Amino acid sequence: MPRAERERQMMDAAVATFGRRGYRAASMDEIAELAGVSKPLVYLYLNSKEDLFSACIRREAAALVEAVRGGITPGEPADQQLWAGLLAFFTHTAECPDGWSVLHSQARTHGEPFAREVAVMREEIVAFVTLLIAEAAREAHGNPTLPEGEVAPLAEALVGAAEALAVWANATPGVTAREAATTLMNFSWAGLANLMQGKPWSPPK
Amino acid sequence: MPRAERERQMMDAAVATFGRRGYRAASMDEIAELAGVSKPLVYLYLNSKEDLFSACIRREAAALVEAVRGGITPGEPADQQLWAGLLAFFTHTAECPDGWSVLHSQARTHGEPFAREVAVMREEIVAFVTLLIAEAAREAHGNPTLPEGEVAPLAEALVGAAEALAVWANATPGVTAREAATTLMNFSWAGLANLMQGKPWSPPK
Amino acid sequence: MPRAERERQMMDAAVATFGRRGYRAASMDEIAELAGVSKPLVYLYLNSKEDLFSACIRREAAALVEAVRGGITPGEPADQQLWAGLLAFFTHTAECPDGWSVLHSQARTHGEPFAREVAVMREEIVAFVTLLIAEAAREAHGNPTLPEGEVAPLAEALVGAAEALAVWANATPGVTAREAATTLMNFSWAGLANLMQGKPWSPPK
Amino acid sequence: MPRAERERQMMDAAVATFGRRGYRAASMDEIAELAGVSKPLVYLYLNSKEDLFSACIRREAAALVEAVRGGITPGEPADQQLWAGLLAFFTHTAECPDGWSVLHSQARTHGEPFAREVAVMREEIVAFVTLLIAEAAREAHGNPTLPEGEVAPLAEALVGAAEALAVWANATPGVTAREAATTLMNFSWAGLANLMQGKPWSPPK
DNA sequence: TATGAATGAGATTTCATTCAT
DNA sequence: TATGAATGAAATCTCATTCAT
């Protein structure tokens, strides 16, 4: 069997195992058995448990970014792009729950080598959403009405809400990607629109 | 030293260690050393690693709920209550980052005994937010304009966004609890208000 | 509470625990709890686990020897003495199963310091039985018909059979001491009588 | 080295260690060292201390039964069969003192999983001896003179005496298997013969 | 390309034992 | 006389990793 395919088998097994058990609780024995190969072969190809986990993170991150990117049509109105991106995001996380678990739950809770890998991808997505929000503001008024420093936290909140909804949708039977995306658009876009029209909510006192 | 105080020391050390390393990577040796006691004493008082982790989850969950509940004045307008609750939430998670990590990152990624403990608390908070949203709709129009089944996902999204912002605020130097709460109110409340006025965002096609 | 009584309580608890669990599996915690005292008190009075076990062996051995000795009337015919001794033996082992377990099962399986304690008592009993057999031979013929070197193994076999029957009687509901003693007399005495009349069983070839 | 042979080495070491130290006092470290392998290999092959002990019991029980069975020629007169069986028994227990210790001393003093394993083998042997006694009675008189319910305790006593003599023979230098078997035949067979002729020993009063 | 055999290091847990009062 | 508080040492067991083939 050619190396590339064997490697894919092993990574599939690793993603499933890491996603369900967590990095520490997953054992190389279990991964090798699930992949249907012997343990030394896993080491021959993937080098170490750390390297294997990193490889999983990179593969799943790339797949997620690819899925979202593929769902978007650049040049469309900002809300259409956000909608399309969210739909692709929720679709992908529903189709690959183990991969999503690796990225969201596991990689971020197991210290420095791994957290950074996933942070890179996340920043890329936050940056894209930040751009969309600024673009939307431009579309609405021709010039940015939102101060620069306020856009980033909003994008952070939107991405955070999307992540939480993805977990919730995976854990709640019967919730479709389209419903999740609609909920989040309703929840966020109208609020953003209000903000852009200079009508922020103001705290008491 | 009296037992109660020693127990508190151990739990402090355990929360710090579990919060930073995760359940599996945290070792009882490290916890005992950080607490300044011998390992057998930890077992004598807290029984087992599982029991210790559960005790940490329960203590931190109770403290968080207590903090949020203490920040709210019942009877005030719904947006005031939400604001106060978020402020208390972000203040508490900023003050107890390890406890927050235990609840948000660690407890939820390590299997059934633990996930359920924290799910109970989370459902309590989601239920409270659901009530607030419904109440706000009543305040705005005198009768519920949002269909029952749509409120729960919105509360889920709001709580999810709050959780993500708490993580982000803890990881980003210089972000205050007040700023985080303001961002989230801006992000969500205006959007919810729009929804309540019957102006949902509608997907294309 | 006076020391002597406390000590007896502790030894009772120790005998019960050692008898049921075995020397290693019995924990000082369990013994102290069963005795209704704190662990340091056990150490204050009985010194160490080894010493406590030795003390149990000595106490139970003395009680057993005392019981057997008290059942016998010296001067009676040898078979009457043997019968009375066996009856007392089976009665005592049935009344004190934990003590018997300590002597028979536990003390002999846990290495040198303890095996010797119980060996002393056992040799005393074997010597007594040896005397009885020789005496019986004299009663039958006026002079020893059995060579000296053959008496000891017979006594050993008789005592061994008694021990095994005691274990069996304790483990088999409904078997009385009188039945066990009768079985053993039937099994052994007639055989011994035959031997003494110079009619040994002879092996083939 | 092939797995089967390594496993045999480990079991040899385990039988020796369990036989000498007892189940609890034997440490897996000691067993591994005596076998000349690392501890993890013992666990890889034999699973756990409990499983290892059970495996030892089963192997030694099978070997003992096999040895006794192999010494007997079915169809011969009952006393010849008993003699041959005892000879084989004492020969085997003298050759495998550690295995005999595991079966007789250790397995029976350590709780339920183990006691039952050895009880099965013992019952098999007691049943065989019971058959022999009944057969002998038939050979002597053509019909059973011993009531059914009395044969079993006699077999129990005979087996018990054999067990005790095996321990004694192993502990007493210079005693051969042939001598032990002769002693027991002398001790028991003539007595049984008397019984079969309807001359039981009768208790006083 | 692939694996059966093997291990060093470290995890949780238990227990006999002692101090300070 | 009596105990609550505390620990050093050692047990069982797991796991990432490598060697020889």
Side-chain angles (χ1 to χ4, degrees):
Chain A
M1 179 171 305
R3 170 157 184 158
E5 188 172 349
R6 266 276 193 261
E7 256 183 9
R8 199 180 42 67
Q9 278 180 8
M10 292 177 192
M11 302 250 318
D12 288 348
V15 167
T17 309
F18 285 135
R20 275 162 227 192
R21 297 243 192 285
Y23 175 63
R24 293 290 293 235
S27 83
M28 295 297 271
D29 271 289
E30 191 180 357
I31 292 171
E33 189 183 17
L34 188 59
V37 298
S38 70
K39 238 185 324 176
L41 199 59
V42 179
Y43 279 87
L44 190 63
Y45 282 4
L46 277 318
N47 218 40
S48 75
K49 196 183 186 185
E50 276 204 16
D51 284 3
L52 175 54
F53 192 44
S54 283
C56 289
I57 294 171
R58 273 195 296 273
R59 189 183 83 168
E60 295 304 313
L64 176 56
V65 166
E66 181 59 29
V68 172
R69 195 164 302 182
I72 292 169
T73 308
E76 287 201 337
D79 69 334
Q80 300 282 351
Q81 285 194 51
L82 183 58
W83 160 255
L86 286 176
L87 193 57
F89 174 78
F90 288 119
T91 302
H92 182 84
T93 55
E95 277 169 358
C96 310
D98 291 334
W100 173 240
S101 169
V102 164
L103 292 178
H104 180 64
S105 304
Q106 306 304 340
R108 299 173 81 179
T109 58
H110 288 106
E112 255 324 294
F114 312 127
R116 187 141 37 220
E117 307 254 22
V118 82
V120 168
M121 170 208 68
R122 200 174 184 276
E123 275 157 23
E124 190 175 339
I125 291 189
V126 170
F128 171 65
V129 173
T130 305
L131 276 181
L132 280 190
I133 295 178
E135 168 64 17
R138 239 193 326 282
E139 286 170 8
H141 306 279
N143 53 12
T145 45
L146 284 170
E148 170 74 20
E150 281 184 23
V151 179
L154 289 171
E156 194 69 47
L158 202 162
V159 170
E163 289 167 344
L165 273 182
V167 171
W168 173 76
N170 275 357
T172 310
V175 175
T176 66
R178 175 168 279 263
E179 283 163 7
T182 304
T183 293
L184 191 47
M185 283 304 287
N186 266 326
F187 180 64
S188 63
W189 196 249
L192 290 175
N194 266 22
L195 267 185
M196 292 163 199
Q197 290 155 18
K199 299 189 262 180
W201 180 91
S202 60
K205 266 180 294 154
Chain B
M1 180 171 305
R3 172 164 181 155
E5 188 173 348
R6 267 277 191 260
E7 237 180 79
R8 200 177 42 66
Q9 278 180 9
M10 291 177 195
M11 300 257 313
D12 290 347
V15 167
T17 309
F18 284 136
R20 277 162 224 191
R21 297 247 192 282
Y23 175 63
R24 293 290 295 240
S27 87
M28 295 299 269
D29 270 294
E30 191 180 357
I31 292 171
E33 190 179 19
L34 187 59
V37 298
S38 69
K39 232 184 333 171
L41 198 61
V42 179
Y43 278 89
L44 190 61
Y45 284 3
L46 277 318
N47 223 38
S48 75
K49 197 184 185 184
E50 273 205 17
D51 283 4
L52 175 54
F53 193 42
S54 281
C56 288
I57 293 172
R58 273 196 294 273
R59 189 183 84 167
E60 296 305 313
L64 176 56
V65 165
E66 181 60 27
V68 171
R69 195 165 304 194
I72 292 168
T73 307
E76 288 201 338
D79 69 332
Q80 301 279 352
Q81 285 194 50
L82 184 57
W83 160 256
L86 286 176
L87 193 57
F89 174 78
F90 287 118
T91 303
H92 183 84
T93 54
E95 277 169 358
C96 310
D98 292 332
W100 173 240
S101 169
V102 164
L103 291 178
H104 180 64
S105 306
Q106 306 303 340
R108 298 171 80 181
T109 57
H110 288 104
E112 254 327 292
F114 312 127
R116 186 135 42 217
E117 307 253 25
V118 82
V120 168
M121 172 207 66
R122 200 175 183 276
E123 274 158 25
E124 190 175 339
I125 290 188
V126 169
F128 172 66
V129 172
T130 304
L131 276 180
L132 279 191
I133 295 178
E135 169 64 17
R138 240 193 324 283
E139 285 170 9
H141 305 280
N143 54 10
T145 46
L146 283 171
E148 171 74 21
E150 280 184 25
V151 179
L154 290 171
E156 196 69 48
L158 202 161
V159 169
E163 290 167 343
L165 272 182
V167 172
W168 171 77
N170 276 356
T172 311
V175 176
T176 67
R178 175 167 278 263
E179 283 162 5
T182 304
T183 293
L184 191 46
M185 283 304 288
N186 267 326
F187 180 63
S188 63
W189 196 250
L192 291 173
N194 267 20
L195 269 183
M196 292 164 199
Q197 290 153 18
K199 299 189 263 181
W201 180 91
S202 59
K205 265 181 296 157
Chain C
M1 180 172 303
R3 170 158 184 159
E5 190 172 348
R6 267 274 194 260
E7 256 184 9
R8 198 178 43 67
Q9 278 182 6
M10 291 177 193
M11 302 249 319
D12 288 348
V15 167
T17 309
F18 285 135
R20 274 162 229 192
R21 298 243 192 284
Y23 175 63
R24 293 291 292 236
S27 84
M28 295 298 270
D29 271 288
E30 190 179 357
I31 292 171
E33 189 182 18
L34 187 59
V37 298
S38 70
K39 239 185 325 176
L41 199 60
V42 179
Y43 278 88
L44 191 62
Y45 282 5
L46 277 318
N47 217 39
S48 76
K49 196 184 186 184
E50 276 204 17
D51 284 3
L52 174 55
F53 193 44
S54 283
C56 289
I57 294 171
R58 273 195 296 272
R59 189 182 85 168
E60 296 305 313
L64 176 56
V65 166
E66 181 60 27
V68 171
R69 194 164 303 181
I72 292 169
T73 308
E76 288 200 338
D79 69 333
Q80 301 282 351
Q81 285 194 51
L82 183 57
W83 160 256
L86 287 175
L87 194 57
F89 174 78
F90 288 119
T91 303
H92 182 83
T93 55
E95 277 169 359
C96 310
D98 291 334
W100 174 241
S101 169
V102 165
L103 291 178
H104 181 63
S105 305
Q106 305 305 339
R108 298 172 81 179
T109 58
H110 288 107
E112 255 325 294
F114 313 127
R116 188 141 36 218
E117 307 253 22
V118 83
V120 168
M121 171 208 69
R122 200 175 185 276
E123 275 156 24
E124 191 175 339
I125 290 188
V126 169
F128 172 65
V129 172
T130 305
L131 276 180
L132 279 190
I133 295 178
E135 168 64 17
R138 240 191 328 279
E139 285 170 11
H141 304 280
N143 53 12
T145 45
L146 284 170
E148 171 71 21
E150 280 184 24
V151 179
L154 289 171
E156 194 69 48
L158 203 161
V159 170
E163 289 168 343
L165 273 181
V167 171
W168 172 76
N170 276 357
T172 310
V175 175
T176 66
R178 175 168 280 262
E179 284 162 6
T182 304
T183 293
L184 191 46
M185 283 304 286
N186 266 327
F187 180 64
S188 63
W189 197 250
L192 290 174
N194 267 20
L195 268 184
M196 291 163 201
Q197 289 154 19
K199 299 189 262 178
W201 180 93
S202 59
K205 265 181 294 159
Chain D
M1 179 171 304
R3 172 164 182 155
E5 189 173 348
R6 267 275 193 261
E7 238 179 80
R8 200 177 43 66
Q9 279 181 7
M10 291 177 194
M11 300 257 312
D12 290 347
V15 168
T17 309
F18 284 136
R20 277 164 224 190
R21 296 248 193 281
Y23 176 63
R24 293 291 295 239
S27 88
M28 295 297 270
D29 271 293
E30 192 180 356
I31 292 171
E33 190 178 19
L34 187 58
V37 298
S38 69
K39 229 185 334 173
L41 198 60
V42 180
Y43 279 90
L44 190 61
Y45 284 4
L46 277 317
N47 224 36
S48 74
K49 197 184 185 184
E50 272 205 18
D51 283 4
L52 175 54
F53 193 43
S54 281
C56 289
I57 294 171
R58 274 196 294 273
R59 189 182 84 167
E60 295 305 313
L64 176 56
V65 165
E66 181 61 28
V68 172
R69 194 166 305 194
I72 292 168
T73 308
E76 288 201 338
D79 69 332
Q80 302 280 352
Q81 286 193 50
L82 183 58
W83 160 255
L86 286 175
L87 194 57
F89 175 79
F90 288 118
T91 303
H92 183 84
T93 55
E95 277 169 358
C96 312
D98 293 332
W100 173 240
S101 169
V102 164
L103 291 178
H104 179 63
S105 306
Q106 306 305 339
R108 298 172 80 181
T109 57
H110 288 104
E112 254 326 293
F114 312 127
R116 186 137 40 217
E117 306 254 24
V118 83
V120 168
M121 172 207 67
R122 201 175 184 276
E123 275 157 25
E124 191 175 338
I125 289 188
V126 170
F128 172 66
V129 172
T130 304
L131 275 180
L132 279 192
I133 295 177
E135 168 66 16
R138 238 191 328 280
E139 285 170 11
H141 305 278
N143 53 11
T145 46
L146 283 171
E148 170 75 20
E150 280 183 25
V151 179
L154 290 171
E156 194 70 48
L158 203 161
V159 169
E163 290 168 342
L165 272 182
V167 172
W168 171 77
N170 276 356
T172 310
V175 175
T176 66
R178 176 167 278 262
E179 284 162 5
T182 305
T183 293
L184 190 46
M185 283 304 287
N186 267 327
F187 180 63
S188 62
W189 196 250
L192 290 173
N194 266 21
L195 268 183
M196 291 165 200
Q197 289 154 16
K199 299 188 263 180
W201 180 92
S202 59
K205 265 181 296 153

